[in-house]
Each structure stands twice: as structure tokens, then as C-alpha cells.
Amino acid sequence: QQQVKQSPQSLIVQKGGISIINCAYENTAFDYFPWYQQFPGKGPALLIAIRPDVSEKKEGRFTISFNKSAKQFSLHIMDSQPGDSATYFCAASRNSGAGSYQLTFGKGTKLSVIP
Amino acid sequence: EAQVTQNPRYLITVTGKKLTVTCSQNMNHEYMSWYRQDPGLGLRQIYYSMNVEVTDKGDVPEGYKVSRKEKRNFPLILESPSPNQTSLYFCASSRLPPTEAFFGQGTRLTVV
């Protein structure tokens, strides 16, 4: 059972273009939605995150759009640069009971920004 | 420097030979977890721990064991490794609730 569905699996964008990665979830108990960026040979690192009481969050060229009713959220990378080429994971966190938390990841999107 | 340290980085072993991958964090984080990363499957959680002596199964716990005897350490144990456990493994830690997770550099395990 895949709790967080991410698309596309891979994405090629021209330098200066907009990269868009989408995620959808089913469990309404999720209450925190982070995006992680992973470069080859490295562990993932937090890029940006949002809570469901906010519809949009922007940090520099990176924006999360959140649609609570549709149970969808997306990452937009404006003015994409070759240095943005990496694998991006959306994730969702929830309290799984008795103060316990689980962080569930999507399958990842490999972004390539070409000059 | 705040970090999560995994060892070893690379490991080739044979089927059935017990192994341990160590994980240590220096940020005094309560929450620690193990993930495996496989092509096309993303990051899947194996086990997690909310604090010392408190561990729980993630999404793919079969064939793995963990322990949390000290706050900073969270070793992953494969009692009898099998080829389907060949994967890239990541340890992560965070404060509670787990918002920003800090990941180690990964351990690439090959079981032949």
C-alpha cells in the first residue's frame, strides 16, 4: 500500500524553466509534508516543508503548493538550474498512535536540468 | 559538526552471515530510523525509535532487527542476510515530532 504517490518518476527541464513535481496522499492523518533533495552519493536533505493549514510556502526559487481538499501537494522549482539536478522525494508525517510518528516517502523524482 | 554517521559505507557479504550496520548521531535527537532505498521504490522505512529502549516496525521490517540502548546509537542488524536485502541503507535522526530528518551518508550492502 503506497501511502504517498509521487509523479513523474523522471523529469528533464531546460535551464531557466519551471520544474513541477506532484504528490498525492490518502491518509488524512498526515500533518506535515516535507520535500527532500538527494544528490548522487549523498543522503537526502530537507529542502522545504509545509503544514496542511497553509496553502503555499515559498523559499527562494522553491515553492510548495498544498491542496488539502484534493489531498495533493506539489513542488515548483522556478528558474531551474543545472545545480538543481538531483532526486526529489516528497514525504508525509503522521502521529501513528501513543506519541509515535512515522515519516513516509514517495518513490522519488529524478530531475535533470539541461543547459 | 552535527552529523549522522553510518558504518561501513560499503559492505559485500554472503548469504546467512550475520552483520551489523552502525549508526550514531551527535545531535541528541530522540527519533532515529532506518530506511532502505531501491531503484523505483524510493525510501522505505524499516524500523524507527522514539527514544531509548523504544522501537517500532516501519513498512518493511522483515529480516531486520534494531536496538536502542543508548540515545545516540541505533544499529541495524541482519541476522541472516539474503540477496533480496541488497540495497542502499540510510539512517536518519530528528527531534520530536520528526520534522527535519538528518540522514547519514548511506551504506551500500550487497549480499551474494
Side-chain angles (χ1 to χ4, degrees), chain A residues 26-97:
Chain A
E26 288 296 323
N27 193 335
T28 55
F30 287 132
D31 59 5
Y32 181 73
F33 301 88
W35 285 87
Y36 282 79
Q37 180 187 54
Q38 184 183 30
F39 293 106
K42 302 289 187 182
L46 181 67
L47 181 64
I48 187 172
I50 197 168
R51 294 201 179 274
D53 53 348
V54 176
S55 61
E56 185 175 283
K57 183 173 182 180
K58 184 176 181 180
E59 290 184 2
R61 296 183 295 107
F62 300 90
T63 299
I64 300 178
S65 296
F66 188 85
N67 185 330
K68 189 174 181 178
S69 60
K71 292 187 283 187
Q72 295 174 346
F73 58 110
S74 60
L75 176 69
H76 295 235
I77 306 174
M78 311 299 287
D79 187 26
S80 299
Q81 299 296 313
D84 297 329
S85 297
T87 299
Y88 292 81
F89 293 96
C90 63
S93 174
R94 66 184 177 98
N95 185 329
S96 54

Coordinates of all heavy atoms in Angstrom, one line a residue, chain A residues 26-97:
Chain A
E26 N -3.4 9.6 0.8 CA -4.7 9.2 1.1 C -5.1 9.4 2.6 O -6.2 9.8 2.9 CB -4.8 7.7 0.8 CG -4.8 7.3 -0.7 CD -6.1 7.9 -1.4 OE1 -7.2 7.9 -0.7 OE2 -6.0 8.3 -2.5
N27 N -4.1 9.2 3.4 CA -4.4 9.3 4.9 C -4.5 10.7 5.4 O -3.5 11.5 5.4 CB -3.2 8.5 5.6 CG -3.6 8.2 7.0 OD1 -4.4 8.9 7.7 ND2 -2.9 7.2 7.6
T28 N -5.7 11.1 5.8 CA -5.9 12.5 6.3 C -5.2 12.7 7.6 O -5.2 13.8 8.1 CB -7.4 12.8 6.4 OG1 -8.0 11.8 7.2 CG2 -8.0 12.8 5.0
A29 N -4.6 11.7 8.2 CA -3.9 11.9 9.5 C -2.5 12.5 9.3 O -1.9 13.0 10.3 CB -3.8 10.5 10.2
F30 N -2.0 12.5 8.1 CA -0.8 13.2 7.8 C -0.9 14.7 8.2 O -1.8 15.3 7.8 CB -0.4 13.0 6.3 CG 0.1 11.7 6.0 CD1 -0.4 11.0 4.8 CD2 1.0 11.0 6.7 CE1 0.0 9.8 4.4 CE2 1.4 9.7 6.4 CZ 0.9 9.1 5.2
D31 N 0.1 15.2 8.9 CA 0.1 16.6 9.3 C 1.3 17.4 9.0 O 1.5 18.5 9.5 CB -0.3 16.7 10.8 CG 0.7 15.9 11.7 OD1 1.7 15.5 11.1 OD2 0.5 15.9 12.9
Y32 N 2.2 16.8 8.3 CA 3.4 17.5 7.9 C 4.0 17.0 6.6 O 4.0 15.8 6.5 CB 4.5 17.4 9.1 CG 5.8 18.1 8.9 CD1 5.9 19.4 9.0 CD2 6.9 17.4 8.6 CE1 7.1 20.1 8.8 CE2 8.1 18.0 8.4 CZ 8.2 19.4 8.5 OH 9.4 20.0 8.4
F33 N 4.3 17.9 5.7 CA 4.7 17.4 4.3 C 6.0 18.1 3.9 O 6.0 19.2 3.4 CB 3.5 17.8 3.4 CG 2.2 17.2 3.7 CD1 1.3 17.8 4.6 CD2 1.8 16.0 3.2 CE1 0.1 17.3 5.0 CE2 0.6 15.4 3.6 CZ -0.2 16.0 4.4
P34 N 7.1 17.3 4.1 CA 8.4 17.9 3.7 C 8.8 17.4 2.3 O 8.3 16.3 1.8 CB 9.3 17.3 4.8 CG 8.7 16.0 5.1 CD 7.2 16.1 4.9
W35 N 9.7 18.1 1.7 CA 10.4 17.7 0.5 C 11.9 17.5 0.8 O 12.5 18.4 1.4 CB 10.2 18.7 -0.6 CG 8.8 18.7 -1.2 CD1 7.7 19.3 -0.8 CD2 8.4 17.9 -2.4 NE1 6.6 19.1 -1.6 CE2 7.0 18.2 -2.6 CE3 9.0 17.0 -3.3 CZ2 6.3 17.6 -3.6 CZ3 8.3 16.5 -4.3 CH2 6.9 16.8 -4.5
Y36 N 12.4 16.4 0.3 CA 13.9 16.2 0.5 C 14.5 16.2 -0.9 O 14.0 15.7 -1.9 CB 14.1 14.9 1.2 CG 13.8 15.0 2.7 CD1 12.6 14.9 3.2 CD2 14.9 15.1 3.6 CE1 12.3 15.0 4.6 CE2 14.7 15.2 4.9 CZ 13.4 15.2 5.4 OH 13.2 15.3 6.8
Q37 N 15.8 16.6 -0.9 CA 16.6 16.7 -2.1 C 17.8 15.7 -1.9 O 18.5 15.8 -0.8 CB 17.1 18.1 -2.3 CG 18.0 18.3 -3.5 CD 18.5 19.8 -3.5 OE1 19.1 20.2 -2.6 NE2 18.3 20.5 -4.6
Q38 N 18.1 14.9 -2.9 CA 19.2 14.0 -2.7 C 20.1 14.0 -3.9 O 19.7 13.8 -5.1 CB 18.7 12.5 -2.6 CG 19.8 11.5 -2.3 CD 19.3 10.1 -2.2 OE1 18.3 9.7 -2.8 NE2 20.0 9.3 -1.5
F39 N 21.4 14.4 -3.7 CA 22.4 14.3 -4.7 C 23.1 13.0 -4.7 O 23.1 12.3 -3.7 CB 23.4 15.5 -4.5 CG 22.9 16.8 -4.7 CD1 22.6 17.6 -3.6 CD2 22.6 17.3 -5.9 CE1 22.1 18.9 -3.7 CE2 22.0 18.6 -6.1 CZ 21.8 19.4 -5.0
P40 N 23.6 12.6 -5.9 CA 24.3 11.3 -6.0 C 25.3 11.0 -4.9 O 26.1 11.9 -4.7 CB 24.9 11.3 -7.4 CG 24.0 12.2 -8.2 CD 23.6 13.3 -7.2
G41 N 25.3 9.9 -4.3 CA 26.3 9.5 -3.3 C 26.0 10.2 -1.9 O 26.9 10.0 -1.0
K42 N 24.9 10.9 -1.8 CA 24.6 11.6 -0.5 C 23.3 11.1 0.1 O 22.5 10.5 -0.7 CB 24.6 13.1 -0.7 CG 25.8 13.7 -1.3 CD 26.9 13.7 -0.3 CE 28.1 14.5 -0.9 NZ 29.3 14.5 0.1
G43 N 23.1 11.4 1.3 CA 21.8 11.1 1.9 C 20.9 12.3 1.6 O 21.3 13.4 1.3
P44 N 19.5 12.0 1.7 CA 18.6 13.1 1.4 C 18.7 14.2 2.5 O 19.2 14.0 3.6 CB 17.2 12.4 1.6 CG 17.5 10.9 1.4 CD 18.9 10.7 1.9
A45 N 18.4 15.4 2.1 CA 18.4 16.6 3.0 C 17.1 17.4 2.8 O 16.6 17.5 1.7 CB 19.6 17.4 2.6
L46 N 16.6 17.9 3.9 CA 15.4 18.6 3.9 C 15.5 19.9 3.0 O 16.5 20.6 3.2 CB 15.0 19.0 5.3 CG 13.7 19.8 5.4 CD1 12.5 18.9 5.0 CD2 13.5 20.4 6.8
L47 N 14.6 20.1 2.1 CA 14.6 21.2 1.2 C 13.6 22.3 1.7 O 13.9 23.4 1.9 CB 14.2 20.7 -0.2 CG 14.2 21.8 -1.3 CD1 15.6 22.4 -1.5 CD2 13.7 21.1 -2.6
I48 N 12.4 21.9 1.9 CA 11.3 22.8 2.2 C 10.1 21.9 2.8 O 10.0 20.7 2.4 CB 10.8 23.6 1.0 CG1 9.8 24.7 1.4 CG2 10.3 22.8 -0.1 CD1 9.5 25.7 0.3
A49 N 9.3 22.5 3.6 CA 8.2 21.7 4.2 C 7.0 22.6 4.4 O 7.1 23.8 4.5 CB 8.6 21.0 5.5
I50 N 5.8 21.9 4.6 CA 4.6 22.7 4.8 C 3.6 21.9 5.7 O 3.7 20.7 5.8 CB 3.9 23.0 3.4 CG1 2.9 24.1 3.5 CG2 3.3 21.7 2.8 CD1 2.4 24.6 2.1
R51 N 2.8 22.6 6.4 CA 1.7 22.0 7.2 C 0.4 22.3 6.5 O 0.3 23.2 5.7 CB 1.7 22.6 8.6 CG 3.0 22.3 9.4 CD 2.8 22.4 10.9 NE 4.0 22.1 11.6 CZ 4.4 20.8 11.9 NH1 3.6 19.8 11.6 NH2 5.5 20.6 12.6
P52 N -0.6 21.4 6.8 CA -1.8 21.5 6.0 C -2.7 22.7 6.2 O -3.7 22.9 5.5 CB -2.6 20.2 6.4 CG -2.0 19.8 7.7 CD -0.6 20.3 7.7
D53 N -2.3 23.5 7.2 CA -3.1 24.8 7.4 C -2.7 25.9 6.5 O -3.2 27.0 6.6 CB -3.1 25.2 8.9 CG -1.7 25.3 9.4 OD1 -0.7 24.9 8.7 OD2 -1.5 25.8 10.5
V54 N -1.7 25.6 5.7 CA -1.1 26.7 4.8 C -1.3 26.1 3.4 O -1.0 25.0 3.1 CB 0.3 26.9 5.1 CG1 0.9 27.9 4.1 CG2 0.5 27.5 6.5
S55 N -1.6 27.0 2.4 CA -1.8 26.5 1.0 C -0.6 26.7 0.2 O -0.4 26.1 -0.9 CB -3.0 27.3 0.4 OG -2.7 28.7 0.3
E56 N 0.4 27.5 0.6 CA 1.6 27.7 -0.2 C 2.7 28.2 0.7 O 2.5 28.9 1.7 CB 1.3 28.8 -1.3 CG 2.5 29.0 -2.2 CD 2.2 29.9 -3.3 OE1 1.5 29.5 -4.3 OE2 2.6 31.1 -3.3
K57 N 3.9 27.7 0.4 CA 5.1 28.1 1.1 C 6.2 28.3 0.1 O 6.4 27.4 -0.7 CB 5.5 27.2 2.2 CG 6.7 27.6 3.0 CD 7.0 26.7 4.2 CE 8.1 27.2 5.0 NZ 8.4 26.3 6.2
K58 N 6.9 29.5 0.2 CA 7.9 29.8 -0.7 C 9.2 30.0 0.0 O 9.3 30.8 1.0 CB 7.5 31.0 -1.6 CG 8.5 31.4 -2.7 CD 8.0 32.6 -3.5 CE 8.9 32.9 -4.6 NZ 8.4 34.0 -5.4
E59 N 10.3 29.4 -0.5 CA 11.7 29.7 0.0 C 12.6 29.8 -1.2 O 13.0 28.9 -1.9 CB 12.1 28.6 0.9 CG 11.4 28.5 2.2 CD 11.9 27.5 3.2 OE1 12.9 26.8 2.8 OE2 11.4 27.3 4.3
G60 N 12.9 31.1 -1.6 CA 13.7 31.3 -2.7 C 13.1 30.9 -4.0 O 11.9 31.3 -4.3
R61 N 13.7 30.0 -4.7 CA 13.1 29.5 -6.0 C 12.2 28.3 -5.8 O 11.6 27.8 -6.8 CB 14.3 29.1 -7.0 CG 15.1 30.3 -7.4 CD 16.2 29.9 -8.4 NE 17.2 29.0 -7.9 CZ 17.3 27.7 -8.2 NH1 16.4 27.2 -9.0 NH2 18.2 26.9 -7.6
F62 N 12.1 27.8 -4.6 CA 11.3 26.6 -4.3 C 10.0 27.0 -3.6 O 10.0 27.8 -2.7 CB 12.1 25.7 -3.4 CG 13.4 25.2 -4.0 CD1 14.6 26.0 -3.8 CD2 13.5 24.1 -4.8 CE1 15.8 25.6 -4.3 CE2 14.7 23.7 -5.3 CZ 15.8 24.4 -5.1
T63 N 8.9 26.4 -4.2 CA 7.6 26.7 -3.6 C 6.8 25.4 -3.5 O 6.8 24.5 -4.4 CB 6.8 27.6 -4.6 OG1 7.4 28.9 -4.7 CG2 5.4 27.9 -4.0
I64 N 6.2 25.2 -2.3 CA 5.2 24.1 -2.2 C 3.8 24.7 -2.3 O 3.5 25.6 -1.6 CB 5.4 23.4 -0.8 CG1 6.8 22.9 -0.5 CG2 4.3 22.3 -0.7 CD1 6.9 22.2 0.8
S65 N 3.0 24.0 -3.1 CA 1.6 24.3 -3.2 C 0.8 23.1 -2.5 O 1.1 22.0 -2.8 CB 1.1 24.5 -4.6 OG 1.8 25.6 -5.2
F66 N -0.1 23.4 -1.7 CA -0.8 22.4 -0.9 C -2.3 22.5 -1.1 O -2.9 23.6 -0.9 CB -0.5 22.5 0.6 CG -1.0 21.3 1.4 CD1 -0.2 20.2 1.4 CD2 -2.2 21.4 2.0 CE1 -0.7 19.1 2.2 CE2 -2.6 20.3 2.8 CZ -1.9 19.2 2.9
N67 N -3.0 21.4 -1.5 CA -4.4 21.4 -1.7 C -5.0 20.4 -0.8 O -5.0 19.2 -1.1 CB -4.8 21.1 -3.2 CG -6.2 21.2 -3.5 OD1 -7.1 20.9 -2.6 ND2 -6.6 21.5 -4.7
K68 N -5.5 20.8 0.3 CA -6.0 19.9 1.4 C -7.2 19.1 0.9 O -7.3 17.9 1.2 CB -6.3 20.7 2.6 CG -6.6 19.8 3.8 CD -6.8 20.6 5.1 CE -7.0 19.8 6.3 NZ -7.1 20.6 7.5
S69 N -8.1 19.7 0.2 CA -9.3 19.0 -0.2 C -9.0 17.9 -1.2 O -9.6 16.9 -1.2 CB -10.4 20.0 -0.7 OG -9.8 20.7 -1.9
A70 N -8.1 18.2 -2.1 CA -7.7 17.2 -3.1 C -6.6 16.2 -2.6 O -6.3 15.2 -3.3 CB -7.2 17.9 -4.3
K71 N -6.1 16.5 -1.4 CA -5.0 15.6 -0.8 C -3.8 15.5 -1.8 O -3.3 14.4 -2.1 CB -5.6 14.3 -0.4 CG -6.5 14.4 0.8 CD -7.0 13.0 1.3 CE -8.0 12.4 0.4 NZ -8.5 11.1 1.0
Q72 N -3.4 16.7 -2.2 CA -2.3 16.8 -3.1 C -1.4 17.9 -2.7 O -1.8 18.9 -2.2 CB -2.8 17.0 -4.6 CG -3.6 15.9 -5.1 CD -4.2 16.2 -6.5 OE1 -4.2 17.3 -6.9 NE2 -4.7 15.1 -7.2
F73 N -0.1 17.7 -3.0 CA 0.8 18.8 -2.8 C 1.9 18.7 -3.9 O 2.2 17.6 -4.4 CB 1.4 18.9 -1.4 CG 2.1 17.6 -1.0 CD1 3.5 17.6 -0.8 CD2 1.4 16.5 -0.7 CE1 4.2 16.5 -0.4 CE2 2.1 15.3 -0.2 CZ 3.5 15.4 -0.1
S74 N 2.5 19.8 -4.2 CA 3.5 19.9 -5.3 C 4.7 20.8 -5.0 O 4.5 21.7 -4.2 CB 2.8 20.3 -6.6 OG 2.3 21.6 -6.5
L75 N 5.8 20.5 -5.6 CA 7.0 21.3 -5.5 C 7.2 22.0 -6.9 O 7.2 21.3 -7.9 CB 8.2 20.4 -5.2 CG 9.5 21.1 -5.1 CD1 9.6 22.1 -3.9 CD2 10.7 20.1 -5.0
H76 N 7.4 23.3 -6.8 CA 7.7 24.0 -8.0 C 9.1 24.6 -7.8 O 9.4 25.3 -6.8 CB 6.7 25.2 -8.2 CG 5.3 24.7 -8.5 ND1 4.6 25.1 -9.6 CD2 4.5 23.9 -7.8 CE1 3.4 24.6 -9.6 NE2 3.3 23.8 -8.5
I77 N 10.0 24.4 -8.8 CA 11.3 25.0 -8.8 C 11.3 26.0 -10.0 O 11.3 25.6 -11.1 CB 12.4 23.9 -9.0 CG1 12.2 22.8 -7.9 CG2 13.8 24.6 -8.9 CD1 13.2 21.7 -8.1
M78 N 11.4 27.3 -9.6 CA 11.4 28.3 -10.6 C 12.9 28.5 -11.1 O 13.8 28.3 -10.3 CB 10.9 29.6 -10.0 CG 9.6 29.5 -9.2 SD 8.3 28.9 -10.3 CE 8.0 30.4 -11.2
D79 N 13.0 29.0 -12.3 CA 14.3 29.3 -12.9 C 15.3 28.1 -12.6 O 16.3 28.3 -12.0 CB 14.9 30.6 -12.2 CG 16.2 31.1 -12.9 OD1 16.4 30.7 -14.0 OD2 16.9 31.7 -12.2
S80 N 14.9 27.0 -13.0 CA 15.7 25.8 -12.7 C 17.1 25.9 -13.2 O 17.3 26.4 -14.3 CB 15.0 24.5 -13.3 OG 13.7 24.3 -12.8
Q81 N 18.0 25.4 -12.4 CA 19.5 25.5 -12.7 C 20.1 24.1 -12.8 O 19.6 23.1 -12.1 CB 20.2 26.3 -11.7 CG 19.7 27.7 -11.6 CD 20.0 28.5 -12.9 OE1 21.1 28.5 -13.4 NE2 19.0 29.2 -13.3
P82 N 21.2 23.9 -13.6 CA 21.8 22.6 -13.6 C 22.2 22.0 -12.2 O 22.1 20.8 -12.0 CB 23.1 22.8 -14.4 CG 22.6 23.9 -15.3 CD 21.8 24.8 -14.5
G83 N 22.5 22.9 -11.3 CA 22.8 22.5 -9.9 C 21.6 22.0 -9.1 O 21.8 21.4 -8.1
D84 N 20.4 22.1 -9.7 CA 19.2 21.6 -9.1 C 19.0 20.1 -9.5 O 18.1 19.4 -8.9 CB 17.9 22.3 -9.5 CG 18.0 23.8 -9.1 OD1 18.5 24.1 -8.0 OD2 17.4 24.6 -9.8
S85 N 19.8 19.6 -10.4 CA 19.7 18.2 -10.8 C 20.0 17.3 -9.7 O 21.1 17.3 -9.1 CB 20.7 18.0 -12.0 OG 20.4 18.7 -13.1
A86 N 19.0 16.5 -9.3 CA 19.0 15.7 -8.1 C 17.7 14.8 -8.1 O 16.9 15.0 -9.0 CB 19.1 16.5 -6.8
T87 N 17.6 14.0 -7.1 CA 16.4 13.2 -6.9 C 15.6 13.9 -5.8 O 16.2 14.2 -4.7 CB 16.7 11.8 -6.6 OG1 17.4 11.1 -7.6 CG2 15.4 11.0 -6.3
Y88 N 14.3 14.1 -6.0 CA 13.5 14.8 -5.1 C 12.4 13.8 -4.5 O 11.8 13.1 -5.3 CB 12.8 16.0 -5.7 CG 13.8 17.1 -6.1 CD1 14.5 17.0 -7.2 CD2 14.0 18.2 -5.2 CE1 15.5 18.0 -7.5 CE2 14.9 19.2 -5.5 CZ 15.6 19.1 -6.7 OH 16.6 20.0 -7.0
F89 N 12.3 13.8 -3.2 CA 11.3 13.0 -2.5 C 10.3 13.8 -1.8 O 10.7 14.7 -1.0 CB 12.0 12.1 -1.5 CG 12.9 11.0 -2.1 CD1 14.3 11.3 -2.2 CD2 12.4 9.8 -2.5 CE1 15.1 10.3 -2.7 CE2 13.3 8.9 -3.1 CZ 14.6 9.1 -3.1
C90 N 9.0 13.6 -2.0 CA 8.0 14.2 -1.1 C 7.9 13.2 0.0 O 8.2 12.0 -0.1 CB 6.7 14.4 -1.9 SG 5.9 13.0 -2.5
A91 N 7.3 13.7 1.1 CA 7.1 12.8 2.3 C 5.9 13.3 3.1 O 5.5 14.5 2.9 CB 8.4 12.8 3.1
A92 N 5.4 12.5 3.9 CA 4.3 12.9 4.8 C 4.6 12.2 6.2 O 5.0 11.1 6.3 CB 3.0 12.4 4.2
S93 N 4.3 13.0 7.2 CA 4.5 12.5 8.6 C 3.2 12.5 9.3 O 2.3 13.4 9.1 CB 5.5 13.5 9.3 OG 5.6 13.1 10.6
R94 N 3.0 11.5 10.2 CA 1.8 11.5 11.0 C 2.1 10.8 12.3 O 3.1 10.1 12.5 CB 0.7 10.6 10.3 CG 1.1 9.1 10.2 CD 0.1 8.4 9.4 NE 0.5 7.0 9.2 CZ 0.0 6.0 10.0 NH1 -0.8 6.2 11.0 NH2 0.4 4.7 9.7
N95 N 1.3 11.2 13.3 CA 1.3 10.6 14.6 C 0.6 9.2 14.5 O -0.6 9.2 14.2 CB 0.7 11.4 15.7 CG 0.8 10.9 17.1 OD1 0.9 9.7 17.3 ND2 0.8 11.8 18.0
S96 N 1.4 8.1 14.6 CA 0.8 6.8 14.4 C 0.3 6.2 15.7 O 0.0 5.0 15.7 CB 1.8 5.9 13.7 OG 3.0 5.8 14.4
G97 N 0.1 7.0 16.7 CA -0.5 6.5 17.9 C 0.5 6.4 19.1 O 1.6 6.1 18.9

